[in-house]
Amino acid sequence: MLRRGIPYAGKTHSKDYADKRRFPFTIPLSTSYEHESSTPEEPVDEVPTELVFHFCWSFLSPDDTIALCEAAPLMTAYQSLRRRALSMSEDTLSTLLTPLNPEDEPNIDQDRVDNLSQLLLLCHFDFSILVKLLRGPLVADYLDFERLDSVIDELELCPTHPGQPIHDFQKIRHQLHHGFPMDKEFRCKLKDVKLRNLYDNHSSLDPHQDLVRHNIAKDVQKSFVLCFHRWLFRFLHGLHLSPLGVLIKERYGILKYRQLNDLSSLVLGDNDTGAPNSQLDKKDKNDVPPVYYGNAFTRLCARIWNLRIEYPDDIVYIYKDDIVSAFRRSKYNPSIAIAYAYVFQDLLCIPLGALFGPRDSPGWFCMLSELRAFASANLKELENCTHPLSDSVQFDECEEHPLAKAIADSINKGLDGLWKEHLTFVDDTMMAEIKEHIRISAAASILSAEIIFGTNPEVDAPVSTEKFMKLFSNYCDCLGIDVDGARLLVIYPINKRVDLCQHVNEIITSLDSGERVLVSLVATVLGKLRHAAQILPDGNFLCFHLQESLNKHLERWGVLKGWGKYRKIHLDKASKWALRLMAMCLEDESNPVWTRPLGLLIPRDAHGTPYSDASTTGLGGFCTSLNFQWRCLVADIVGGTAFKPKERGEGDDLHINVLEFVGIIINIYFSILRIIAKKKYDKKFEYDQGFILHCFADNTSALSWMQHASRSKNAVTRNLAQFLLCLLFNANTIIPLAVQGFHVKGVNNERADALSRPKNFPTYNDVFETYSDLKNLQVLDLPHCLIVQLKRCLSLKLIEAPSKKTMTALLRVDVLSLRPSAKN
């Protein structure tokens, strides 16, 4: 029998080994191979033939082993490895038990690879036994678990405020003590694993072989991954293999390389069982824990806004730090790690820390990242802390200019007794404080990272000294967007505008020449637009145009075929015209849509709340705060067009919903004219931080088209949405404006309902008799130029977006010249 004494020799463990054993075998985690005859009802495991030979080897005669090696040459390599393993010295084992120095030059030592392969053989190819033997940084034994438990106990008693991440303390404790996940079984077919080994890695990796090997060497040096002889993959029961890819991005003029572990692609076709992500259910929180970083930027803006309310005369300083090798610090439970394995050149690589690519990595890491931010703001021991790194930071000399005002409302009331809050986006932690508190906040961030992620010479410090910012400043790049804490502005950087403009113009050139566009180029622009949409007025509308075109392409060809390197895609006219509008804004560096008041990006009370409604005979709307009301006959809008509105249920193409959408657009148009007039004539009108407009209607479809009209097959709907987009973009060059749609129940929309029903209320006076509060509102007539544009949009085919000249003329209509008295 194979000797198993070496892995369990008493000399290899410290006295408190039993107390530190944090990876019990009782956790329900496993990986396995399905036999071809398996069914969900009756699963049958398939054991690799090579593993069977391994367990039978001691019972084979010399002639049998010779015959076996001749029949299966792989077993010759196994036999040689076995001989070396059985003669492994205690010195060799001691070397393996000694962690590598992360500060040494990254290198994949082939002798160490061979020794680890021998030790894996001695552990009967059970990776979890190997890891529990080596321990150390592989299982984060350097953490102070008693302190961690007491910290979590304290944080569990701290209140979580609305909008903040929800902390699952049970999962957090489990991950820290046992790795993740909590309960999971990965199953695939052995034949698929063998074919994936032959597939190797994505072709995009080929030009970057040296970079990939260097990256793996860095992970080896930091004890984030263990490497073995590649051919050993055949002996590990339940192993999955995922291909590698690369992502190379330029940041600040420097090319950044990131290794991607592709656990999603079905590289062998639709019946490929070897992609672990397909076995992770996005709807199951145990499989894929939720993340909360999507609102981090908005929360940062709200934090700055409330700081200015609390300290109107103080500059708000913004600071940030990040975690080095972030995902890798979340540990896989060794029993499940082989499901995330990959091969490269002559290596089989099995990760100990989370990879970039698995569906569950962000959720599990962000548990610890958000816990760190929560600890920074709530731990009593960090209330007045210091740290050498934060002590060394200097203050930037801010430009002298008036500080922008932040106005309190029912949502934003200042700090409300909370003087510290840290905002986390994956591994980036952002802080906003006044000068008196910023240094303490930065120190708390560093110390909380050391508590959660540990400090040990065997692993890099969680917060990098080299990357640590040198200045506390009111102006800071946060998640790729510049934030000014003095003027309360958010700016999309000029270099990103230039880059986006280049890609957009490339697409437009292709479309103008009648060519299709590369799928990869559309995806690139879509990604950049999503980022820019955080600032652009109604930027999400632009994103949905491209997203819908991309979705239709992928539905036709499938995800794998649809993402071919040279595959091209058709874009419809609406997408083309939306991109033209984007290009026009990008080419004008001074266009104010790229610099937004911070107050428009956070939840706030509205300055104006217009209501609208529509029927098959009329449309109407009003806004008390902006002092206007209007009504018109449907015939005035649709006359001379092919559009014929129908009642509900009579067909979707010409549905009454379209008229509801027209009513919303007219309401927005009149609101914009009134706001421009206020800016021009009302000296007390404050607009530096923009105007927030909440548009109410009782039709959910029409409201959804303000963002998602590209999903509609109705050309009229898409024309109207395109007109609204142009209106908002051009209006924002005059005054910063944020427009959102909100649903109101029909019973609460009776005033707009009355204005939209000429049969029930033939005149304005009939409306005023029932709703006297409308009598004092100014009555507005629809300008002829607006009616002309609406008639264009009611065409039953896609039309080109209105020109800048047309939109400028629309916005120059003098609202004060419209009739100020009620009419019959």
Side-chain angles (χ1 to χ4, degrees):
M1 296 292 290
L2 182 68
R3 289 191 293 120
R4 296 187 62 179
I6 292 178
Y8 298 99
K11 296 180 181 178
T12 64
H13 303 303
S14 59
K15 290 187 293 184
D16 61 342
Y17 171 73
D19 296 331
K20 294 176 65 176
R21 190 179 301 164
R22 297 180 295 101
F23 292 87
F25 288 94
T26 54
I27 297 176
L29 298 170
S30 65
T31 60
S32 58
Y33 291 136
E34 293 180 350
H35 196 274
E36 289 296 321
S37 61
S38 286
T39 63
E41 295 77 20
E42 297 183 11
V44 179
D45 284 352
E46 179 178 5
V47 179
T49 305
E50 292 82 0
L51 186 59
V52 174
F53 288 151
H54 162 73
F55 282 108
C56 296
W57 197 270
S58 297
F59 301 98
L60 298 178
S61 67
D63 291 338
D64 291 335
T65 58
I66 292 173
L68 181 57
C69 290
E70 290 177 352
L74 176 68
M75 299 310 295
T76 302
Y78 165 79
Q79 185 180 38
S80 175
L81 183 69
R82 182 186 179 94
R83 287 172 180 164
R84 297 196 300 277
L86 291 175
S87 60
M88 180 183 290
S89 66
E90 290 192 10
D91 289 342
T92 301
L93 181 58
S94 178
T95 301
L96 294 177
L97 290 168
T98 303
L100 298 172
N101 185 350
E103 296 183 359
D104 288 346
E105 184 67 25
N107 176 48
I108 298 177
D109 185 348
Q110 291 299 326
D111 289 338
R112 188 176 180 86
V113 170
D114 187 65
N115 290 333
L116 283 171
S117 300
Q118 296 173 38
L119 193 57
L120 183 62
L121 184 148
L122 291 174
C123 295
H124 293 308
F125 299 103
D126 189 325
F127 183 73
S128 65
I129 292 178
L130 174 71
V131 173
K132 292 166 191 177
L133 163 69
L134 297 176
R135 303 194 63 79
L138 301 180
V139 294
D141 266 348
Y142 49 79
L143 293 177
D144 186 341
F145 291 98
E146 289 186 8
R147 188 183 186 191
L148 273 174
D149 287 338
S150 66
V151 163
I152 294 173
D153 289 341
E154 181 180 342
L155 294 177
E156 280 186 293
L157 301 176
C158 298
T160 300
H161 298 275
Q164 290 186 333
I166 299 171
H167 303 281
D168 190 331
F169 291 102
Q170 181 187 4
K171 284 190 174 73
I172 289 170
R173 288 181 190 274
H174 183 94
Q175 181 183 177
L176 289 170
H177 285 276
H178 308 303
F180 72 91
M182 293 180 69
D183 182 356
K184 186 65 185 175
E185 179 182 17
F186 285 99
R187 295 177 64 86
C188 69
K189 289 183 169 59
L190 177 58
K191 69 176 183 64
D192 289 344
V193 175
K194 293 180 179 179
L195 290 173
R196 279 173 163 259
N197 175 64
L198 294 176
Y199 174 87
D200 198 28
N201 291 301
H202 295 316
S203 57
S204 63
L205 202 72
D206 294 342
H208 309 292
Q209 297 279 325
D210 292 341
L211 278 174
V212 175
R213 194 170 186 91
H214 180 72
N215 187 71
I216 294 174
K218 289 196 296 183
D219 281 349
V220 168
Q221 208 73 22
K222 297 176 182 179
S223 300
F224 293 144
V225 69
L226 291 179
C227 292
F228 307 91
H229 295 311
R230 178 167 177 164
W231 54 268
L232 289 183
F233 84 91
R234 292 176 174 269
F235 291 83
L236 276 74
H237 183 241
L239 179 92
H240 291 50
L241 289 179
S242 299
L244 294 178
V246 295
L247 176 64
I248 298 179
K249 298 173 64 176
E250 183 177 340
R251 188 174 185 185
Y252 306 123
I254 302 174
L255 289 179
K256 293 283 187 178
Y257 157 82
R258 172 168 280 170
Q259 173 184 312
L260 303 177
N261 292 75
D262 184 358
L263 279 75
S264 295
S265 293
L266 304 177
V267 295
L268 306 178
D270 294 339
N271 296 320
D272 184 359
T273 63
N277 276 354
S278 62
Q279 302 178 57
L280 292 167
D281 185 358
K282 289 187 285 188
K283 297 180 181 179
D284 187 342
K285 292 183 179 180
N286 290 321
D287 269 9
V288 183
V291 295
Y292 300 96
Y293 53 73
N295 67 352
F297 188 75
T298 303
R299 287 171 55 214
L300 173 67
C301 293
R303 168 73 177 167
I304 296 170
W305 184 262
N306 282 279
L307 273 167
R308 179 53 51 79
I309 293 173
E310 191 81 11
Y311 304 102
D313 300 321
D314 290 331
I315 293 175
V316 176
Y317 288 88
I318 308 163
Y319 199 68
K320 64 179 182 178
D321 60 28
D322 65 352
I323 299 298
V324 181
S325 305
F327 277 18
R328 302 290 196 266
R329 294 177 184 271
S330 286
K331 298 296 184 182
Y332 292 121
N333 186 291
S335 298
I336 208 81
I338 58 173
Y340 300 87
Y342 55 96
V343 290
F344 178 74
Q345 293 179 350
D346 58 339
L347 302 173
L348 167 64
C349 306
I350 303 179
L352 283 307
L355 299 173
F356 188 84
R359 186 174 285 170
D360 56 350
S361 291
W364 285 104
F365 170 75
C366 285
M367 282 183 200
L368 302 184
S369 184
E370 296 287 3
L371 182 72
R372 173 217 176 181
F374 195 54
S376 301
N378 291 280
L379 282 182
K380 292 182 179 179
E381 64 182 273
L382 302 180
E383 286 183 354
N384 292 291
C385 61
T386 61
H387 192 280
L389 277 179
S390 57
D391 288 344
S392 66
V393 179
Q394 302 297 314
F395 283 92
D396 189 15
E397 294 296 331
C398 302
E399 297 179 8
E400 292 186 5
H401 47 66
L403 299 180
K405 293 182 181 179
I407 301 171
D409 57 18
S410 66
I411 301 173
N412 304 280
K413 302 176 182 179
L415 295 186
D416 197 22
L418 296 174
W419 71 271
K420 281 203 295 187
E421 183 186 13
H422 291 224
L423 299 311
T424 299
F425 186 91
V426 192
D427 61 326
D428 290 331
T429 297
M430 295 163 288
M431 296 149 267
E433 295 289 356
I434 61 171
K435 189 171 186 177
E436 180 183 352
H437 298 145
I438 188 66
R439 201 180 292 280
I440 297 174
S441 190
S445 182
I446 302 167
L447 292 172
S448 64
E450 293 177 352
I451 293 171
I452 304 300
F453 297 106
T455 55
N456 191 287
E458 298 167 356
V459 180
D460 281 343
V463 177
S464 171
T465 304
E466 295 178 0
K467 294 182 179 180
F468 205 70
M469 295 175 65
K470 310 302 181 187
L471 290 173
F472 291 126
S473 176
N474 69 290
Y475 198 97
C476 185
D477 167 15
C478 297
L479 308 180
I481 297 175
D482 294 340
V483 181
D484 188 334
R487 295 179 295 166
L488 300 184
L489 293 177
V490 179
I491 304 109
Y492 196 67
I494 186 67
N495 62 312
K496 292 183 182 292
R497 295 182 221 172
V498 172
D499 191 31
L500 181 55
C501 184
Q502 179 182 344
H503 287 96
V504 168
N505 283 330
E506 191 175 341
I507 292 179
I508 292 173
T509 301
S510 297
L511 294 174
D512 286 343
S513 61
E515 298 177 1
R516 292 182 298 170
V517 185
L518 285 169
V519 174
S520 57
L521 181 58
V522 175
T524 298
V525 170
L526 179 59
K528 294 179 182 297
L529 270 179
R530 282 176 176 161
H531 187 229
Q534 297 178 89
I535 293 180
L536 290 176
D538 219 19
N540 287 330
F541 177 81
L542 289 169
C543 295
F544 281 116
H545 265 302
L546 294 183
Q547 184 66 67
E548 289 303 309
S549 298
L550 200 57
N551 289 347
K552 291 173 185 175
H553 171 76
L554 296 178
E555 286 174 7
R556 179 181 178 186
W557 294 99
V559 175
L560 185 60
K561 294 181 179 179
W563 282 106
K565 185 175 181 180
Y566 300 105
R567 190 168 290 278
K568 295 187 176 183
I569 187 176
H570 284 291
L571 292 180
D572 59 28
K573 291 181 180 179
S575 297
K576 176 180 177 180
W577 292 324
L579 286 168
R580 282 195 186 282
L581 176 63
M582 178 95 272
M584 179 183 71
C585 295
L586 285 164
E587 288 167 356
D588 181 6
E589 294 184 5
S590 62
N591 196 315
V593 299
W594 299 106
T595 299
R596 299 282 279 167
L598 182 145
L600 292 183
L601 305 182
I602 64 175
R604 289 172 64 203
D605 291 343
H607 298 108
T609 53
Y611 289 74
S612 64
D613 196 27
S615 68
T616 54
T617 55
L619 300 89
F622 74 96
C623 181
T624 304
S625 58
L626 291 173
N627 186 26
F628 74 83
Q629 62 183 314
W630 62 274
R631 69 187 314 198
C632 69
L633 297 176
V634 167
D636 294 338
I637 301 295
V638 304
T641 71
F643 181 82
K644 305 294 181 185
K646 298 181 179 181
E647 292 286 357
R648 296 180 185 276
E650 294 186 23
D652 292 331
D653 289 345
L654 304 176
H655 199 279
I656 186 65
N657 292 351
V658 174
L659 293 179
E660 296 273 10
F661 194 23
V662 172
I664 293 172
I665 292 173
I666 295 173
N667 242 9
I668 293 174
Y669 173 73
F670 277 134
S671 297
I672 291 172
L673 290 186
R674 298 295 288 167
I675 295 166
I676 293 174
K678 272 181 168 288
K679 174 188 174 184
K680 184 176 181 181
Y681 298 110
D682 187 351
K683 294 182 180 180
K684 295 182 180 180
F685 178 55
E686 294 185 356
Y687 60 89
D688 287 346
Q689 280 299 311
F691 198 93
I692 298 175
L693 200 63
H694 288 176
C695 300
F696 288 88
D698 56 18
N699 188 286
T700 54
S701 295
L703 289 168
S704 72
W705 288 336
M706 294 175 70
Q707 294 287 346
H708 309 293
S710 59
R711 295 177 179 173
S712 174
K713 297 179 181 179
N714 185 355
V716 171
T717 301
R718 302 185 75 168
N719 290 339
L720 288 168
Q722 182 177 249
F723 173 76
L724 176 59
L725 179 67
C726 292
L727 178 64
L728 292 176
F729 261 95
N730 284 275
N732 271 275
T733 63
I734 303 172
I735 186 168
L737 183 71
V739 178
Q740 288 180 275
F742 291 88
H743 182 260
V744 60
K745 292 182 179 180
V747 295
N748 298 325
N749 199 31
E750 66 275 10
R751 287 166 177 76
D753 185 83
L755 288 168
S756 70
R757 280 165 173 71
K759 290 184 178 180
N760 300 336
F761 300 89
T763 68
Y764 274 104
N765 285 332
D766 294 322
V767 176
F768 300 156
E769 287 180 6
T770 306
Y771 304 104
S772 59
D773 54 330
L774 294 179
K775 188 173 183 178
N776 295 324
L777 297 183
Q778 188 180 43
V779 175
L780 307 182
D781 286 323
L782 266 67
H784 178 70
C785 55
L786 175 63
I787 294 175
V788 169
Q789 291 304 313
L790 292 176
K791 285 180 179 291
R792 286 186 69 247
C793 293
L794 293 176
S795 168
L796 300 186
K797 63 179 181 179
L798 288 174
I799 61 171
E800 190 163 0
S803 67
K804 184 176 182 180
K805 181 179 179 182
T806 299
M807 298 309 301
T808 301
L810 272 173
L811 293 171
R812 284 181 178 172
V813 172
D814 190 351
V815 70
L816 294 181
S817 69
L818 299 175
R819 298 180 64 182
S821 60
K823 66 175 183 178
N824 292 327

